[in-house]
Amino acid sequence: MDRAKPFDIPKREVWEAYKKVRANQGAAGVDGQSIADFEADLSNNLYKIWNRMSSGSYFPPPVRRVDIPKGETGGTRPLGIPTVADRVAQMVVKRVLEPLVEPHFHDDSYGYRPGKSALDAVGAARQRCWRYALDLDIKAFFDSIETNLLMRAVRKHTDCPWVLLYIERWLKAPVQMPDGSLAVRERGTPQGGVVSPALANLFLHYAFDVWMHRNHPGIPFERYADDGVPRTHWQRWQCGAAHEMRGGPSKPAVRGRLQTASSCIGQEPVW
């Protein structure tokens, strides 16, 4: 380790992160640099990422916003596309964070998790086939996550200073709109970021999964990111739960767009 560097980030981690990003491919960010362009000066580009992250001087560039069609439902979904270099930096952090949070996640959380898929969620739903089901889709979830609560959840699982530092910087990175203007973000984590799925799952672990286990322990559910299907034999529960999830009791609560999870974060998972 270079003694002048405050953070001990092995160069090998940056290399492994790059290989993951290369395998995933993806579009260029605000700098217009493709993966092929990045690889044209690969050694120097990876060194710059390692050098800046290790010294604490890495600041993420703006995220390029792209609106994609939602398909049959109509409308568009905003995606945030980081630069290739930023995706590598995010992957370095994800490789540290994900193994720390994964063991705590609920078995019926299926979205963006190693070894789980949407087909697994559908299979579990078919096996259960209860009489009533509540179809949940959290509106604009990735853009609505409360940053302070999210960081509170992250700190519950790691005290690694550089992981915390860079996650906070990514949460504050501006968004470049299609017209080229920059928008300041006060909440949310861009859907499309490398580390965003792990952060979103961590938030919903406390805001929904733990909440369901404590308030409705007899009600099974399947959740894929911000879509969920709790199920029950009783229509009365279905109606009451829908009201509660939209803004009912607040300790713990899932109010509005799940912006409050403070009564769950900081307590141990109970399964």
Side-chain angles (χ1 to χ4, degrees):
M1 174 185 172
D2 187 337
R3 294 298 177 185
K5 307 293 185 186
F7 300 137
D8 184 7
I9 303 176
K11 291 180 180 178
R12 184 74 187 184
E13 282 300 309
V14 179
W15 171 250
E16 294 298 330
Y18 154 71
K19 290 196 295 182
K20 287 278 190 181
V21 170
R22 180 183 60 183
N24 293 336
Q25 291 296 305
V30 295
D31 59 359
Q33 186 181 54
S34 66
I35 290 179
D37 296 333
F38 184 86
E39 290 177 333
D41 193 12
L42 182 60
S43 179
N44 187 47
N45 285 330
L46 293 180
Y47 177 81
K48 285 192 290 186
I49 295 169
W50 169 80
N51 186 49
R52 291 170 183 173
M53 291 189 75
S54 297
S55 64
S57 63
Y58 179 79
F59 287 88
V63 175
R64 181 168 73 92
R65 173 168 166 160
V66 175
D67 293 317
I68 62 171
K70 284 188 175 181
E72 295 180 359
T73 60
T76 60
R77 173 181 289 108
L79 286 184
I81 303 179
T83 64
V84 175
D86 196 45
R87 296 206 293 271
V88 174
Q90 289 192 37
M91 186 65 76
V92 172
V93 169
K94 179 185 177 182
R95 283 170 52 83
V96 174
L97 179 66
E98 192 171 67
L100 298 176
V101 298
E102 265 293 322
H104 299 279
F105 287 165
H106 196 283
D107 287 342
D108 283 313
S109 168
Y110 294 92
Y112 311 114
R113 296 186 59 193
K116 288 181 177 282
S117 69
L119 290 178
D120 295 328
V122 172
R126 285 179 172 174
Q127 286 180 356
R128 285 163 174 162
C129 289
W130 288 34
R131 186 173 181 184
Y132 295 105
L134 183 64
D135 184 12
L136 300 177
D137 183 1
I138 306 169
K139 183 178 179 181
F141 169 67
F142 279 84
D143 293 330
S144 304
I145 298 175
E146 190 71 45
T147 301
N148 291 337
L149 291 178
L150 176 56
M151 287 307 303
R152 189 170 167 186
V154 173
R155 291 188 185 96
K156 175 178 170 57
H157 294 276
T158 182
D159 59 358
C160 178
W162 59 270
V163 168
L164 297 173
L165 173 68
Y166 292 126
I167 288 177
E168 284 193 289
R169 287 182 182 174
W170 280 312
L171 292 175
K172 296 176 181 177
V175 176
Q176 185 184 77
M177 306 302 287
D179 64 1
S181 63
L182 293 181
V184 177
R185 282 194 298 120
E186 297 181 352
R187 62 178 60 204
T189 180
Q191 189 170 0
V194 171
V195 77
S196 293
L199 296 177
N201 270 333
L202 180 59
F203 187 87
L204 279 177
H205 168 72
Y206 289 107
F208 182 78
D209 301 350
V210 171
W211 180 84
M212 281 291 293
H213 185 88
R214 290 177 175 160
N215 288 269
H216 304 284
I219 302 300
F221 65 88
E222 299 83 39
R223 180 176 65 77
Y224 190 92
D226 55 346
D227 295 294
V229 184
R231 55 196 66 250
T232 179
H233 292 299
W234 302 284
Q235 187 176 19
R236 182 178 178 183
W237 178 90
Q238 182 189 28
C239 297
H243 168 74
E244 196 173 356
M245 291 174 190
R246 289 190 186 106
S250 59
K251 189 180 179 181
V254 183
R255 298 181 66 96
R257 297 174 181 173
L258 298 189
Q259 294 171 356
T260 294
S262 58
S263 59
C264 290
I265 296 172
Q267 301 179 28
E268 289 296 325
V270 290
W271 41 75

